[in-house]
Amino acid sequence: MVQEVLRQPAKAAIFLVVDVRPGSEDTARDLLADFAGLTRSVGFRAPDDDLTGIVGIGAAMWRRLYRLPVPRELHPFRSVSGARHTAPATHGDLLFHLRARRLDLCFELARQVMSRLAGHVTVLDEVQGFKYFDERDLLGFVDGTENPTGPEAVAAITVGAEDPAYAGGSYVIVQKYLHDLDAWQALPVAEQERVIGRSKISDIELPDAEKPANSHVAVNTIVDPDGTERQIVRENMVFGSPSAAEFGTYFIGYAATPGVIERMLQRMFVGEPPGNHDRILDFSTAVTGSLFFVPTAAFLEKPAPTTSVTTPATTPATPGPDGTDGSLGIGSLRRSLRRSPT
């Protein structure tokens, strides 16, 4: 049984990032074991509205929850600083990504989660996201165009034989970006298109001869030396408060290895070569950044052996067997992928 990372695009989402208070590890572990059941119970009220929930675990929290090796590439998010812009690193023990075609379902699942965790966690960030017109962000451009689909999407997000104990899992990085819409809207549309690397109306990528090297599309295209393009699955959401003049995009990217997204961030914020930073950062500021591992649902329900950890979070975990079946359920995922998530 897997966490349902690959789904049709949602119309609404809630992102919760929390820290678990010392001594509350058992409560958190029990909630994680019951999370799939909670999601099914809430979603049963409106099955056609496709409620799903995904939970990710941070590196420090993993050591507190399980007497098991840390997933091979799980580590605290590393800040990235260039000459002009910085991707900050912010803490987070657990990430809950709740999504559906209706916000009320996400809201009810978040309410149930927080009821179980009341008094045991500190909420670091809560964002209620929504789809904006025809899959666009608040800058007016379609978001998620290059998401892979079908078997390519499965391969892009799925840990495999490189870390067999956690095969079937995934990594996820989240960042909250705030936009300076006044400055953005002051740009002529043609210049906006050069910043993004796409036509605003048609969503067609600009020809290479017209696409600047520091455009968002160019900077986020990662190609291996052998010519293979590395892909991730984005589920970005718009959020904002007109009364507070807050307008943003919540970036969430799933990948089989966080290294792909980290390379993108290096190219965005530092530049390759240095100084060639993503020009979108002149209008969008990152204010959070966290990395989590998304284990299989089977692991969350039965991660044997488990224990209440009394040693400091920095104490290395004692190796032990993994409780997952190692399966991603590829067949079921393929059947569910009628289009790529955004």
Side-chain angles (χ1 to χ4, degrees):
M1 192 164 44
V2 300
Q3 295 201 63
E4 297 181 280
V5 172
L6 298 177
R7 301 288 290 190
Q8 291 189 34
K11 298 299 183 184
I14 292 180
F15 305 94
L16 278 172
V17 178
V18 304
D19 270 354
V20 177
R21 296 174 183 175
S24 292
E25 290 81 7
D26 287 345
T27 298
R29 188 164 45 245
D30 288 346
L31 179 276
L32 297 186
D34 293 342
F35 182 65
L38 278 177
T39 304
R40 287 192 296 271
S41 295
V42 175
F44 185 77
R45 306 178 196 183
D48 292 338
D49 290 311
D50 208 21
L51 174 68
T52 57
I54 300 166
V55 61
I57 304 170
M61 192 66 214
W62 188 278
R63 295 183 173 93
R64 293 168 57 194
L65 287 177
Y66 307 120
R67 285 192 179 276
L68 294 166
V70 176
R72 181 178 176 183
E73 296 190 71
L74 181 59
H75 55 261
F77 182 85
R78 299 165 181 148
S79 64
V80 182
S81 294
R84 294 183 57 183
H85 304 290
T86 296
T90 52
H91 198 263
D93 285 334
L94 300 175
L95 164 71
F96 295 94
H97 177 197
L98 318 177
R99 60 193 177 179
R101 295 178 184 173
R102 293 163 38 183
L103 183 59
D104 58 339
L105 291 171
C106 304
F107 178 89
E108 178 60 18
L109 182 53
R111 190 177 73 86
Q112 294 294 335
V113 168
M114 292 309 301
S115 176
R116 289 280 298 270
L117 296 178
H120 296 280
V121 299
T122 300
V123 177
L124 303 179
D125 197 22
E126 175 182 353
V127 172
Q128 296 188 5
F130 56 92
K131 282 302 177 186
Y132 189 64
F133 294 110
D134 50 339
E135 309 293 339
R136 295 180 185 267
D137 58 26
L138 290 176
L139 302 181
F141 285 77
V142 175
D143 197 4
T145 301
E146 294 301 323
N147 269 348
T149 60
E152 290 185 356
V154 173
I157 70 163
T158 307
V159 174
E162 71 277 8
D163 193 3
Y166 300 112
S170 188
Y171 292 89
V172 60
I173 284 178
V174 295
Q175 292 178 292
K176 186 177 182 178
Y177 286 85
L178 298 178
H179 306 314
D180 184 347
L181 282 192
D182 289 339
W184 177 254
Q185 291 171 348
L187 288 181
V189 170
E191 190 61 24
Q192 292 179 1
E193 291 176 337
R194 287 174 55 79
V195 172
I196 301 298
R198 288 184 177 278
S199 165
K200 191 169 188 177
I201 294 179
S202 71
D203 189 41
I204 301 298
E205 187 171 332
L206 298 181
D208 289 344
E210 300 176 20
K211 184 172 54 187
N214 64 350
S215 68
H216 187 61
V217 169
V219 167
N220 281 274
T221 300
I222 305 297
V223 180
D224 287 342
D226 64 0
T228 302
E229 184 174 345
R230 303 296 296 276
Q231 296 179 307
I232 67 172
V233 170
R234 300 168 176 84
E235 291 243 11
N236 301 351
M237 280 281 181
V238 166
F239 69 91
S241 170
S243 64
E246 180 182 83
F247 309 101
T249 296
Y250 198 92
F251 166 82
I252 179 165
Y254 290 94
T257 166
V260 177
I261 303 176
E262 290 168 339
R263 172 81 184 281
M264 291 178 178
L265 295 177
Q266 185 74 17
R267 286 169 59 88
M268 285 180 65
F269 285 84
V270 177
E272 291 183 359
N276 189 55
H277 70 266
D278 189 337
R279 196 174 165 210
I280 201 174
L281 298 177
D282 295 338
F283 307 92
S284 300
T285 302
V287 296
T288 69
S290 304
L291 167 65
F292 304 90
F293 182 70
V294 177
T296 64
F299 176 92
L300 291 176
E301 292 181 8
K302 192 176 180 181
T306 61
T307 184
S308 296
V309 179
T310 56
T311 53
T314 54
T315 302
T318 302
D322 175 51
T324 70
D325 61 7
S327 171
L328 184 62
I330 299 300
S332 63
L333 282 175
R334 284 177 178 166
R335 287 191 294 272
S336 72
L337 284 174
R338 291 186 290 275
R339 58 169 295 187
S340 68
T342 55

